[in-house]
Amino acid sequence: ENQGLLESLGVVDDQDRALLALARRLGALGAKITGAGGGGAVAVLHDDPGGFRRALEAQGRRAIDTQTDEITP
C-alpha cells in the first residue's frame, strides 16, 4: 500500500523498482523503499543477512548492515 502511494507521488524511480525486485529475488522477507526521494535506498529484512550482503555485492550493489534489539512485550 505504501509503495503504491510513493509511486503515485512520483518519488519511486526505475532504480528503486530494480532494487526491490532484486531483494525479492534474493529471498527478502520484506523490503521497503526509503530515503528522501532521491532513489536508490531500500530497507530489507532477510533471514540470512550475510548471504544477502554477499549476493548484493556480487550484483555490484552495496549493503549497510543494521541490527535491532529484541523486542519483548
Side-chain angles (χ1 to χ4, degrees):
E1 185 178 327
N2 243 3
Q3 300 299 117
L5 177 59
L6 293 173
E7 290 269 356
S8 70
L9 292 171
V11 297
V12 177
D13 61 16
D14 289 340
Q15 182 179 359
D16 294 325
R17 287 184 204 90
L19 280 169
L20 281 176
L22 177 60
R24 290 182 181 128
R25 280 194 313 273
L26 295 175
L29 301 173
K32 171 78 175 78
I33 296 170
T34 187
V42 176
V44 175
L45 178 64
H46 202 284
D47 61 358
D48 178 11
F52 183 72
R53 170 187 270 285
R54 287 187 295 279
L56 275 182
E57 290 171 347
Q59 297 277 329
R61 304 290 185 160
R62 186 177 68 138
I64 300 170
D65 294 330
T66 62
Q67 181 176 328
T68 60
D69 292 332
E70 183 176 330
I71 299 172
T72 55

